[in-house]
Amino acid sequence: MFRLLQGLTIAAMLSLSVSVGAQSAAPAATRGAPEGYVAPADPKPEDTNAQRAVSQPGNNAPFWRAVRESGQQSGYTSLPGVEKGVLIQSLVQYPGSKHTTAGEAWRQVRNQWILPYGGALLLIVLLALALFYFTKGPIKLSQPETGRRIERFTYFERAAHWTNAIAFVALAISGIVMAFGKFFLLPILGGTLFGWLAYAMKTIHNFAGPLFAVSLVVVILTFVKDNWPSTHDLVWLAKGGGLFTGAHVPSHRFNAGEKLLFWGGVFLLGLIVVASGLVLDKLVPGLLYTRGEMQIAHMIHASAAVLMMAAFLGHIYMGTLGTQGAYQAMKTGYVDETWAKEHHELWYRDIQAGKIPAQRSTSHQAAAGKPAAQA
C-alpha cells in the first residue's frame, strides 16, 4: 500500500512539472513583434541627431560632429552675432602651427613662437646693450664744449617725439605685462593682485594705442624730410658709424643708423603695429571682426611689436646712457657746437655755411626751450 501511494505521488509531481514547463514555454513560442511594428534602420554616418536618437538612443555623435565642423557649415542658433552657429573654427595652418582648428593654431603660434622667441630677443638685446656699456662705456666728446649752442630740435619736434615716446613706453610695459606677466609676476603677486594689474595694463594699452597712432603719424611727417637716404649713409654703414672703432664718421642731421631706425622701426613696424592694433581695438570700419580676423591681427601685432621694442631699446640706450649730450638735445632742444661737429659734421657744416639756420624756433618757443647759458 505504501509503495502504491509513493508511486502515485511521484507520478503526480512529474505531471505537474511537465504542465508548468509547457505553460512557460507556450508564450515563448507564440511571442513576436506587435502588429504593425517596423524595426528601426541601422545607424548611418549621415544621420541627423534626431534620426540617431531613434536608431541608437543616447548616441549623440551627429550633434558633436556638427559642433566640430561648424566652421565649415554653421549650425542654427537664435542668438545674434557675426559667427553665430560656429562653435569651433575651421581647420587652418598658420606659419609655425600644425594643421588644426584656427583657435588651436593661433595658440600654438603665440605660445610656441611669439612668446618664447620674442622674449628671448628682448633679453638678448638688453644683455648686448649692458655688455656694450660696461665694456665700451658711453660715447663722449673728444674736445671740450665751446659754450655756443645750436638748436637741434624745435619745440614742436620735441613735443611730437615725447608724446610718441611716452605712449610707446606705456604700450611696451603694458604689453610685456600682458604677454609675459604670468611667467614672472603671477608667482610673486598671486592671482588676485596680478588679475587687477593685468586688467589695468589692458585698459592703459587700449587708451594709449590711439594716442601712439596719431603721434606716430605726426613724428613721421615731422622728421621724414631729414631721413631720406644719401650716399654718405653708405660710408657710415661701411664703417659701422665708428661705434666699435671710435673713428669719426661724418653724417647729416641724422646718421644712417638713425635713418634705418626711422624707416624700419618707426615707419614700417610702427605702421604695422598701429594698423593691427586698430583692428584689435575694433576701430577699422568695414571689418566683421571674426575670431579668425582678430587672431591674425594679434599675431601680426605681437610680432611687429616685439621687433619694434627690440629696435627701440638700442635707440633709447643711445639717446640716454650711450651718447653724451644726446638726452639734453631732446630735453632742451640745443646741443653744443662741439657735439654737432663730432656727431653730425655734415649737418654742422651746412649750418656754418648758412644752408640751415642755427635757430629755427620763434622767439617765444626759443625762450621756452633754450637753456639759460645759450650764447
Side-chain angles (χ1 to χ4, degrees), residues 76-105:
Y76 169 77
T77 176
S78 60
L79 298 175
V82 176
E83 294 181 280
K84 59 183 180 180
V86 180
L87 296 178
I88 298 180
Q89 294 173 267
S90 58
L91 300 176
V92 298
Q93 185 172 12
Y94 296 134
S97 77
K98 297 179 180 179
H99 187 261
T100 180
T101 58
E104 173 62 18

mmCIF file of all heavy atoms in Angstrom, residues 76-105:
data_model
loop_
_atom_site.group_PDB
_atom_site.id
_atom_site.type_symbol
_atom_site.label_atom_id
_atom_site.label_comp_id
_atom_site.label_asym_id
_atom_site.label_seq_id
_atom_site.Cartn_x
_atom_site.Cartn_y
_atom_site.Cartn_z
ATOM 1 N N TYR A 76 22.585 76.067 -36.308
ATOM 2 C CA TYR A 76 21.480 77.005 -36.109
ATOM 3 C C TYR A 76 21.490 77.518 -34.681
ATOM 4 O O TYR A 76 21.700 76.774 -33.727
ATOM 5 C CB TYR A 76 20.135 76.339 -36.385
ATOM 6 C CG TYR A 76 18.971 77.208 -35.940
ATOM 7 C CD1 TYR A 76 18.564 78.295 -36.705
ATOM 8 C CD2 TYR A 76 18.325 76.958 -34.728
ATOM 9 C CE1 TYR A 76 17.530 79.110 -36.299
ATOM 10 C CE2 TYR A 76 17.283 77.768 -34.299
ATOM 11 C CZ TYR A 76 16.889 78.843 -35.093
ATOM 12 O OH TYR A 76 15.869 79.644 -34.665
ATOM 13 N N THR A 77 21.303 78.822 -34.536
ATOM 14 C CA THR A 77 21.122 79.424 -33.224
ATOM 15 C C THR A 77 20.258 80.659 -33.390
ATOM 16 O O THR A 77 20.304 81.330 -34.427
ATOM 17 C CB THR A 77 22.471 79.807 -32.582
ATOM 18 O OG1 THR A 77 22.229 80.470 -31.342
ATOM 19 C CG2 THR A 77 23.266 80.737 -33.482
ATOM 20 N N SER A 78 19.464 80.950 -32.393
ATOM 21 C CA SER A 78 18.615 82.137 -32.431
ATOM 22 C C SER A 78 19.319 83.355 -31.860
ATOM 23 O O SER A 78 18.770 84.456 -31.879
ATOM 24 C CB SER A 78 17.327 81.878 -31.632
ATOM 25 O OG SER A 78 17.640 81.564 -30.274
ATOM 26 N N LEU A 79 20.561 83.188 -31.362
ATOM 27 C CA LEU A 79 21.296 84.299 -30.782
ATOM 28 C C LEU A 79 21.931 85.135 -31.898
ATOM 29 O O LEU A 79 22.320 84.606 -32.934
ATOM 30 C CB LEU A 79 22.377 83.787 -29.838
ATOM 31 C CG LEU A 79 21.889 82.997 -28.621
ATOM 32 C CD1 LEU A 79 23.075 82.450 -27.848
ATOM 33 C CD2 LEU A 79 21.033 83.880 -27.726
ATOM 34 N N PRO A 80 22.078 86.458 -31.693
ATOM 35 C CA PRO A 80 22.721 87.298 -32.705
ATOM 36 C C PRO A 80 24.232 87.150 -32.633
ATOM 37 O O PRO A 80 24.791 86.686 -31.637
ATOM 38 C CB PRO A 80 22.276 88.713 -32.317
ATOM 39 C CG PRO A 80 22.082 88.636 -30.828
ATOM 40 C CD PRO A 80 21.564 87.250 -30.549
ATOM 41 N N GLY A 81 24.916 87.573 -33.671
ATOM 42 C CA GLY A 81 26.371 87.535 -33.664
ATOM 43 C C GLY A 81 26.920 87.250 -35.045
ATOM 44 O O GLY A 81 26.253 86.629 -35.881
ATOM 45 N N VAL A 82 28.174 87.709 -35.276
ATOM 46 C CA VAL A 82 28.796 87.529 -36.579
ATOM 47 C C VAL A 82 29.021 86.062 -36.880
ATOM 48 O O VAL A 82 28.776 85.588 -37.983
ATOM 49 C CB VAL A 82 30.138 88.291 -36.629
ATOM 50 C CG1 VAL A 82 30.843 88.038 -37.955
ATOM 51 C CG2 VAL A 82 29.899 89.784 -36.436
ATOM 52 N N GLU A 83 29.486 85.329 -35.893
ATOM 53 C CA GLU A 83 29.806 83.913 -36.083
ATOM 54 C C GLU A 83 28.792 83.012 -35.382
ATOM 55 O O GLU A 83 29.152 81.969 -34.846
ATOM 56 C CB GLU A 83 31.203 83.612 -35.568
ATOM 57 C CG GLU A 83 32.302 84.297 -36.343
ATOM 58 C CD GLU A 83 33.679 83.939 -35.812
ATOM 59 O OE1 GLU A 83 34.078 84.548 -34.790
ATOM 60 O OE2 GLU A 83 34.346 83.085 -36.387
ATOM 61 N N LYS A 84 27.537 83.391 -35.397
ATOM 62 C CA LYS A 84 26.523 82.574 -34.744
ATOM 63 C C LYS A 84 26.458 81.204 -35.419
ATOM 64 O O LYS A 84 26.521 81.079 -36.634
ATOM 65 C CB LYS A 84 25.172 83.265 -34.797
ATOM 66 C CG LYS A 84 24.660 83.565 -36.195
ATOM 67 C CD LYS A 84 23.347 84.308 -36.146
ATOM 68 C CE LYS A 84 22.818 84.617 -37.539
ATOM 69 N NZ LYS A 84 21.535 85.348 -37.496
ATOM 70 N N GLY A 85 26.342 80.192 -34.624
ATOM 71 C CA GLY A 85 26.293 78.836 -35.137
ATOM 72 C C GLY A 85 27.652 78.210 -35.349
ATOM 73 O O GLY A 85 27.744 77.030 -35.690
ATOM 74 N N VAL A 86 28.744 78.972 -35.170
ATOM 75 C CA VAL A 86 30.093 78.444 -35.339
ATOM 76 C C VAL A 86 30.731 78.321 -33.960
ATOM 77 O O VAL A 86 31.168 79.311 -33.375
ATOM 78 C CB VAL A 86 30.948 79.356 -36.239
ATOM 79 C CG1 VAL A 86 32.355 78.778 -36.399
ATOM 80 C CG2 VAL A 86 30.284 79.522 -37.589
ATOM 81 N N LEU A 87 30.740 77.100 -33.432
ATOM 82 C CA LEU A 87 31.331 76.889 -32.111
ATOM 83 C C LEU A 87 32.825 76.609 -32.210
ATOM 84 O O LEU A 87 33.604 77.050 -31.373
ATOM 85 C CB LEU A 87 30.620 75.734 -31.407
ATOM 86 C CG LEU A 87 29.142 75.976 -31.087
ATOM 87 C CD1 LEU A 87 28.536 74.748 -30.424
ATOM 88 C CD2 LEU A 87 28.970 77.189 -30.197
ATOM 89 N N ILE A 88 33.235 75.858 -33.214
ATOM 90 C CA ILE A 88 34.641 75.525 -33.409
ATOM 91 C C ILE A 88 35.051 75.985 -34.801
ATOM 92 O O ILE A 88 34.394 75.685 -35.789
ATOM 93 C CB ILE A 88 34.887 74.010 -33.244
ATOM 94 C CG1 ILE A 88 34.536 73.575 -31.816
ATOM 95 C CG2 ILE A 88 36.340 73.664 -33.562
ATOM 96 C CD1 ILE A 88 34.738 72.113 -31.555
ATOM 97 N N GLN A 89 36.162 76.742 -34.888
ATOM 98 C CA GLN A 89 36.591 77.312 -36.164
ATOM 99 C C GLN A 89 37.072 76.221 -37.116
ATOM 100 O O GLN A 89 37.378 75.092 -36.720
ATOM 101 C CB GLN A 89 37.713 78.327 -35.924
ATOM 102 C CG GLN A 89 37.273 79.558 -35.148
ATOM 103 C CD GLN A 89 38.448 80.433 -34.795
ATOM 104 O OE1 GLN A 89 39.019 80.300 -33.729
ATOM 105 N NE2 GLN A 89 38.819 81.328 -35.703
ATOM 106 N N SER A 90 37.173 76.603 -38.374
ATOM 107 C CA SER A 90 37.608 75.671 -39.410
ATOM 108 C C SER A 90 39.097 75.376 -39.274
ATOM 109 O O SER A 90 39.828 76.033 -38.535
ATOM 110 C CB SER A 90 37.316 76.253 -40.789
ATOM 111 O OG SER A 90 37.971 77.505 -40.938
ATOM 112 N N LEU A 91 39.557 74.379 -40.014
ATOM 113 C CA LEU A 91 40.950 73.958 -39.966
ATOM 114 C C LEU A 91 41.817 74.897 -40.798
ATOM 115 O O LEU A 91 41.469 75.262 -41.918
ATOM 116 C CB LEU A 91 41.086 72.530 -40.491
ATOM 117 C CG LEU A 91 40.312 71.447 -39.729
ATOM 118 C CD1 LEU A 91 40.468 70.105 -40.413
ATOM 119 C CD2 LEU A 91 40.771 71.370 -38.284
ATOM 120 N N VAL A 92 42.935 75.293 -40.232
ATOM 121 C CA VAL A 92 43.902 76.141 -40.934
ATOM 122 C C VAL A 92 45.302 75.691 -40.538
ATOM 123 O O VAL A 92 45.480 74.838 -39.659
ATOM 124 C CB VAL A 92 43.732 77.642 -40.571
ATOM 125 C CG1 VAL A 92 42.382 78.165 -40.985
ATOM 126 C CG2 VAL A 92 43.967 77.864 -39.088
ATOM 127 N N GLN A 93 46.302 76.285 -41.172
ATOM 128 C CA GLN A 93 47.695 76.077 -40.776
ATOM 129 C C GLN A 93 48.435 77.389 -40.918
ATOM 130 O O GLN A 93 48.787 77.797 -42.013
ATOM 131 C CB GLN A 93 48.363 74.987 -41.614
ATOM 132 C CG GLN A 93 49.773 74.663 -41.131
ATOM 133 C CD GLN A 93 50.376 73.455 -41.832
ATOM 134 O OE1 GLN A 93 49.841 72.989 -42.840
ATOM 135 N NE2 GLN A 93 51.477 72.952 -41.315
ATOM 136 N N TYR A 94 48.648 78.048 -39.782
ATOM 137 C CA TYR A 94 49.407 79.283 -39.776
ATOM 138 C C TYR A 94 50.898 78.958 -39.817
ATOM 139 O O TYR A 94 51.296 77.845 -39.469
ATOM 140 C CB TYR A 94 49.094 80.100 -38.527
ATOM 141 C CG TYR A 94 47.666 80.579 -38.438
ATOM 142 C CD1 TYR A 94 46.935 80.455 -37.253
ATOM 143 C CD2 TYR A 94 47.036 81.168 -39.524
ATOM 144 C CE1 TYR A 94 45.627 80.905 -37.161
ATOM 145 C CE2 TYR A 94 45.728 81.626 -39.441
ATOM 146 C CZ TYR A 94 45.041 81.479 -38.252
ATOM 147 O OH TYR A 94 43.748 81.918 -38.173
ATOM 148 N N PRO A 95 51.746 79.899 -40.232
ATOM 149 C CA PRO A 95 53.196 79.650 -40.177
ATOM 150 C C PRO A 95 53.641 79.309 -38.762
ATOM 151 O O PRO A 95 53.447 80.075 -37.829
ATOM 152 C CB PRO A 95 53.794 80.989 -40.633
ATOM 153 C CG PRO A 95 52.731 81.615 -41.466
ATOM 154 C CD PRO A 95 51.428 81.207 -40.844
ATOM 155 N N GLY A 96 54.200 78.115 -38.601
ATOM 156 C CA GLY A 96 54.654 77.672 -37.287
ATOM 157 C C GLY A 96 53.664 76.828 -36.529
ATOM 158 O O GLY A 96 53.959 76.383 -35.419
ATOM 159 N N SER A 97 52.483 76.571 -37.097
ATOM 160 C CA SER A 97 51.484 75.749 -36.409
ATOM 161 C C SER A 97 51.209 74.486 -37.199
ATOM 162 O O SER A 97 51.589 74.362 -38.374
ATOM 163 C CB SER A 97 50.175 76.526 -36.225
ATOM 164 O OG SER A 97 49.443 76.583 -37.444
ATOM 165 N N LYS A 98 50.526 73.550 -36.576
ATOM 166 C CA LYS A 98 50.072 72.350 -37.251
ATOM 167 C C LYS A 98 48.755 72.646 -37.973
ATOM 168 O O LYS A 98 48.145 73.685 -37.767
ATOM 169 C CB LYS A 98 49.869 71.216 -36.235
ATOM 170 C CG LYS A 98 51.133 70.795 -35.522
ATOM 171 C CD LYS A 98 50.861 69.686 -34.519
ATOM 172 C CE LYS A 98 52.133 69.261 -33.794
ATOM 173 N NZ LYS A 98 51.858 68.194 -32.788
ATOM 174 N N HIS A 99 48.328 71.693 -38.808
ATOM 175 C CA HIS A 99 47.041 71.831 -39.480
ATOM 176 C C HIS A 99 45.956 71.430 -38.493
ATOM 177 O O HIS A 99 45.729 70.248 -38.222
ATOM 178 C CB HIS A 99 46.993 70.946 -40.729
ATOM 179 C CG HIS A 99 45.757 71.158 -41.555
ATOM 180 N ND1 HIS A 99 44.663 70.335 -41.491
ATOM 181 C CD2 HIS A 99 45.440 72.135 -42.453
ATOM 182 C CE1 HIS A 99 43.730 70.764 -42.315
ATOM 183 N NE2 HIS A 99 44.179 71.857 -42.916
ATOM 184 N N THR A 100 45.318 72.428 -37.924
ATOM 185 C CA THR A 100 44.349 72.176 -36.869
ATOM 186 C C THR A 100 43.310 73.301 -36.894
ATOM 187 O O THR A 100 43.302 74.126 -37.798
ATOM 188 C CB THR A 100 45.049 72.097 -35.496
ATOM 189 O OG1 THR A 100 44.078 71.838 -34.472
ATOM 190 C CG2 THR A 100 45.797 73.381 -35.182
ATOM 191 N N THR A 101 42.419 73.314 -35.912
ATOM 192 C CA THR A 101 41.428 74.384 -35.864
ATOM 193 C C THR A 101 42.121 75.735 -35.669
ATOM 194 O O THR A 101 43.199 75.813 -35.089
ATOM 195 C CB THR A 101 40.439 74.152 -34.719
ATOM 196 O OG1 THR A 101 41.154 74.069 -33.479
ATOM 197 C CG2 THR A 101 39.663 72.852 -34.935
ATOM 198 N N ALA A 102 41.483 76.798 -36.163
ATOM 199 C CA ALA A 102 42.121 78.110 -36.170
ATOM 200 C C ALA A 102 42.485 78.583 -34.771
ATOM 201 O O ALA A 102 43.548 79.166 -34.565
ATOM 202 C CB ALA A 102 41.210 79.126 -36.853
ATOM 203 N N GLY A 103 41.620 78.331 -33.811
ATOM 204 C CA GLY A 103 41.920 78.754 -32.452
ATOM 205 C C GLY A 103 43.133 78.047 -31.881
ATOM 206 O O GLY A 103 43.993 78.662 -31.241
ATOM 207 N N GLU A 104 43.246 76.750 -32.118
ATOM 208 C CA GLU A 104 44.403 75.998 -31.638
ATOM 209 C C GLU A 104 45.655 76.400 -32.394
ATOM 210 O O GLU A 104 46.740 76.479 -31.812
ATOM 211 C CB GLU A 104 44.132 74.501 -31.795
ATOM 212 C CG GLU A 104 45.321 73.603 -31.491
ATOM 213 C CD GLU A 104 45.828 73.709 -30.064
ATOM 214 O OE1 GLU A 104 45.078 74.220 -29.201
ATOM 215 O OE2 GLU A 104 46.974 73.297 -29.814
ATOM 216 N N ALA A 105 45.533 76.667 -33.711
ATOM 217 C CA ALA A 105 46.692 77.096 -34.494
ATOM 218 C C ALA A 105 47.218 78.437 -33.980
ATOM 219 O O ALA A 105 48.435 78.635 -33.865
ATOM 220 C CB ALA A 105 46.309 77.197 -35.969
#
